Amino acid sequence: GAGVSQTPSNKVTEKGKYVELRCDPISGHTALYWYRQSLGQGPEFLIYFQGTGAADDSGLPNDRFFAVRPEGSVSTLKIQRTERGDSAVYLCASGGGTDTQYFGPGTRLTVL
Amino acid sequence: GENVEQHPSTLSVQEGDSAVIKCTYSDSASNYFPWYKQELGKRPQLIIDIRSNVGEKKDQRIAVTLNKTAKHFSLHITETQPEDSAVYFCASQKAYKYIFGTGTRLKVLA
């Protein structure tokens, strides 16, 4: 079956612009995570959804970051007024009720 | 806050030798410890995991050990091959939340 997919694979934007990153989890997975991975670092937790609700958004760095999952499947990570420090790979992962989470290929965001 | 320390940051071994990567976690309530392999430009892939009620788990050339008292867990790769070269991440999980280590870049020299 299809794994976790993310679009776009690459996004280049200018400082101050708004971006949306999309995650399509594995069908039927209720848990969905967003992570940020900077070069040479491990994935850093941003937000966790269980179904449609954000059960934990404590990892979002500031109020420029927001994520939604309106129907409990696809999720969108939204970043307003992007800054150069937002440049990173944004990873999505989903889980189906066990501990195991499956990662998507990531979106590489570059803010010029 | 919770954190996971991972060592070494880089590791070079000769093909056929063993490699060991170690992690220490801070939250004693953590109960699940996965290891991921990430090749350049690709997604992290789960290679082995262990739960807190088990001390050791093995899958072919890969094994993981857990010492709950010391809050240590380790990845062991035997008979390393060039295709084992990648970055390896450990993680600890409590409830739903995962904390990742900073990664170990493993190079297997042919």
Side-chain angles (χ1 to χ4, degrees), chain B:
Chain B
E2 305 132 0
N3 78 301
V4 174
E5 293 187 2
Q6 183 171 347
H7 300 282
S9 56
T10 61
L11 178 60
S12 293
V13 299
Q14 291 292 327
E15 182 178 359
D17 287 352
S18 296
V20 180
I21 303 170
K22 299 182 179 181
C23 288
T24 304
Y25 59 99
S26 61
D27 192 335
S28 57
S30 299
N31 57 11
Y32 174 65
F33 306 91
W35 285 88
Y36 290 86
K37 176 182 180 182
Q38 188 174 30
E39 297 179 57
L40 189 63
K42 299 196 174 177
R43 73 189 76 191
Q45 298 268 19
L46 178 71
I47 55 170
I48 196 167
D49 55 13
I50 191 167
R51 288 177 171 75
S52 58
N53 59 348
V54 175
E56 183 173 357
K57 182 177 178 181
K58 189 173 181 179
D59 182 3
Q60 298 182 354
R61 298 186 296 109
I62 296 174
V64 57
T65 58
L66 172 65
N67 181 331
K68 284 172 52 180
T69 303
K71 293 187 281 188
H72 288 168
F73 58 113
S74 299
L75 177 71
H76 304 252
I77 306 174
T78 58
E79 301 170 24
T80 52
Q81 301 167 3
E83 52 265 37
D84 295 329
S85 296
V87 178
Y88 291 81
F89 293 99
C90 63
S92 70
Q93 185 216 38
K94 183 178 77 171
Y96 58 83
K97 195 166 183 178
Y98 294 79
I99 306 295
F100 284 81
T102 50
T104 296
R105 181 173 299 279
L106 174 65
K107 296 181 184 178
V108 179
L109 307 171

Side-chain angles (χ1 to χ4, degrees), chain A residues 3-7 22-26 92 104-105, chain B residues 43:
Chain A
V4 179
S5 62
Q6 292 185 244
T7 54
R22 176 187 169 111
C23 172
D24 280 86
I26 293 172
C92 174
Chain B
R43 73 189 76 191

Side-chain angles (χ1 to χ4, degrees), chain A residues 10-59:
Chain A
N10 280 284
K11 176 70 177 178
V12 180
T13 191
E14 294 179 343
K15 181 174 177 293
K17 299 289 188 184
Y18 168 82
V19 297
E20 289 190 351
L21 312 179
R22 176 187 169 111
C23 172
D24 280 86
I26 293 172
S27 178
H29 279 191
T30 56
L32 187 146
Y33 299 80
W34 282 99
Y35 294 91
R36 180 167 68 178
Q37 187 174 28
S38 300
L39 194 63
Q41 299 295 314
E44 173 193 5
F45 172 82
L46 295 178
I47 187 169
Y48 162 67
F49 288 90
Q50 182 56 247
T52 60
D56 185 343
D57 65 357
S58 63

